[in-house]
Amino acid sequence: MRLLKVATCNLNQWAMEFESNMKNIKASIAEAKAAGAVIRLGPELEVTGYGCEDHFLELDTVTHSWECLKELLVGDWTDGILCSIGMPVIKGAERYNCQVLCMNRRIIMIRPKMWLANDGNYRELRWFTAWKQREKLEDFQLPIEISEALDQKSVPFGYGYIQFIDTAVAAEVCEELFSPLPPHAELALNGVEVFMNASGSHHQLRKLDIRLNAFMGATHARGGVYMYSNQQGCDGSRLYYDGCACIVVNGDVVAQGSQFSLRDVEVIISQIDLDAVASLRGSISSFQEQASCKVKVSSVAVPCRLTQSFNLKMTLSSPKKIIYHSPQEEIAFGPACWMWDYLRRSGASGFLLPLSGGADSSSVAAIVGCMCQLVVKEIAKGDEQVKADASRIGNYANGQFPTDSKEFAKRIFYTVFMGSENSSEETKRRAKQLADEIGAWHLDVCIDGVVSAVLSLFQTVTGKRPRYKVDGGSNAENLGLQNIQARMRMVLAFMLASLLPWVHSKPGFYLVLGSSNVDEGLRGYLTKYDCSSADINPIGSISKMDLRLFLKWAATNLGYPSLAEIEAAPPTAELEPIRSDYSQLDEVDMGMTYEELSVYGRMRKIFRCGPVSMFKNLCYKWGTKLSPAEVAEKVKYFFKYYSINRHKMTVLTPSYHAESYSPEDNRFDLRQFLYNSKWPYQFKKIDEIVDGLNGDSVAFPEEEANSNREIGVVAANSEDPSAGL
C-alpha cells in the first residue's frame, strides 16, 4: 500500500489585504502539518485575494506577493510538506496567474494557468496572459530578493508535473477543469495520480452540483485523487466564494468542506491508498491503450517520498454522502455570510433597513436575522475571530460577547417602517411583528410631512400641485407623486443610518440595506434613487419566485412565523391611495407576472435571446395558453420597458450575485443603457412571423401544455410607476 495524507482548504481571503491573507495561509499550513498531511493545497490567488481586478496591473501587487512567499519559504512552513500557493507572477513582459509549488524551503516549479476564466463575472484576460507553451518547461529567473534568500536562482516554469519517488502530482487551475480538453486527462495518461485544483469559484443558486460532478467525472473513468480548494467569503466585491473544498478519489467524494461558513480557515484532511488509483487504471483497457501512445508531458523530478507503507494507525477515508443545500438554504446562508464579511471589514456598526412589510424587504430582514444566528452559533463553537468581530461590532464591554441572536440583532440592526397616507395598517403591523421576531430595533416613521413640504415647495415654484390618477390626475402627476415618496425614503434612510447610532450613544455608522429583487431590476420596476438605492443589497440578483419560496422556508426554519403571512400577501408598492374600488398591485403595474419576468430574464441572459428568438421560443413554451399574436405583444412589451429602464442599472446598489440572469451591468451583464425602445427592426420581424402564422395550425407537445398551465396573462392597464427618471 502507498498511504498518502493530503489537505485542502477554504480560506476567507480579502483582496489586497496581504497581512490577513498570510495569516490564513500560515494557519492552514500549520493545521495541515499538525494532522500529518504531506500535501497542502490553497485557493487560486490566495496571497493577493482573487478579486483584486485592476490592482493586478500594479507592479506593487506582484512585488508584495513575492515578499509574502519569501516569508513562508525562509521559515519552516514548508518543511516536510508540498504547498501549492496561488499568486500572480511576471515572466518577461507577461503577467500570469500561477500556482507556486514549494517544499522544504524551495520552489519546485511554477505552474501558470493555461485557460483563463473570461466570461460572466470573470475578466482574467484583462489582467493575465494564458500560458500557451505546452511542449516543455522553461527556466524562470527568480527575483533577486527571493534568489538571495533561498539560495536558488531559477525554477522550472510552465505546464508539467512533479515526479516524486512514489507518485506524481500536478496542478490544474480552476477554469482548466471546465475546458473542453482539460489537462487532467493528459496528465493522468502520464501517470499523475494526484491533481490539485486551486479555485476562486463564486456561489450561484443551484450551481454546486455542476462543480462536484466535474470533480467526480475527472477521476471516475481515469482514476486519481482530485483535490479542490476554494476561497470562501466576500473578498471585497459582489461575489461570495462558497468554499466547499473537497477531495475525490476514483470518482467518489471522500471529504467535503462547508459551503457557507463564517470561519476564516477550514482545512479538510483525507488519508488515501494510492494503490487503489493504480488498481483502477490497470483494470481499464482503454486507459492502458491510450497511455501507451500518450503525448509526453514535462516533469520535475524530486527525490523525495510522500507516501507511507501499510500502517494500521492510518484510517483510510471512505466515500461520503455529498451535502447539498436547498435553494432556500442557499438564499439564507450565502448572503448572510457575505453580509457578515462586509460588515466586519467595512468599519460599520450595523445595518439599517427600510422595512415595508412586503416580501422583498422582509427577505432582507430575515437574512440579517440568519446572519445573527450564524454568528452566535459560531461563537458557541469557539471561533475566536468571530467572537472578536461580534464583540467589537456589537459594542460589548469587559470581554462579553453575544450569546443570543435576538439580543445581538438589537445591537446591530435597525428596521424602519416609513409609512405614508397610502400605507396600509396590515403592512405596518407585519413590519413591526417581523422586527420583533428577529430582535431588531424597530422605528415607525410617518413621511407625510416631508412629502407635503416638498409638494408645497413645488407649488410655490410652479403654481401647481399634482394629483394622483385616482383623484383625476394625469399619468405624469401620478408618477411624480409616487417617486417623491420613494426618494424621500432613500434620503431618510441614509440620514437615520448615520445619526441613529449617535442618538443611542453607539459608535460608528450603519450600512443601509437595499431590497429590490433581480426581476424588478430587469424590468426596471423601481424608482431611480429610491430606498432601493443603498450601500449593499443581499437579494439584488435573486428572483421573486425564489424569494417567496425562501419566505415559506424561513418562517419555519429561522423561527420567524410572520414571514408566512408576508409571503401570502399580494405584492404592492403602496405608493398610490387605497380606495374601495382600487388597490395598487405590482404585477398589474408592471403589465406582467413575476413568473413571466423570470422566464424573460433567463431567455435574455442565459440563452442569449433577442426579441425575435425570445418570441419564437415562447411560442412553443406558451403556445397552449396564448396565440402567437399574444406572445408577440408580451415580448414586445417586455423589451420596451427593459430598454426604457436599462439606465437604472448604472446606479443599482451593489448586490450579492446569486443568479445567472442578473441584469447587473457593472461586470456581469455588459450592455448599453441607451436603447431605441421601439426596437423597429426586431419588432417588425416579429410582426412578419405572426402574420405568416395566421391561419396555420400549430402543434405543441402535451408536456409543454402541462408544464405551463400556471402562466397567466396580466393586462397592462396602468402606467409603469417606475418608468420615469
Side-chain angles (χ1 to χ4, degrees), residues 544-576:
K544 189 78 164 189
M545 305 300 291
D546 279 334
L547 287 174
R548 295 186 69 170
L549 294 173
F550 164 70
L551 289 173
K552 291 180 180 179
W553 175 89
T556 300
N557 293 277
L558 294 182
Y560 308 141
S562 64
L563 293 176
E565 181 185 351
I566 291 169
E567 187 278 330
T572 173
E574 292 194 335
L575 293 171
E576 296 183 72

Side-chain angles (χ1 to χ4, degrees), residues 136-158:
K136 63 178 182 178
L137 292 167
E138 297 187 2
D139 196 49
F140 175 78
Q141 298 298 313
L142 292 171
I144 294 176
E145 296 81 1
I146 303 297
S147 176
E148 292 177 347
L150 304 182
D151 193 24
Q152 180 181 5
K153 293 183 178 179
S154 63
V155 61
F157 187 103

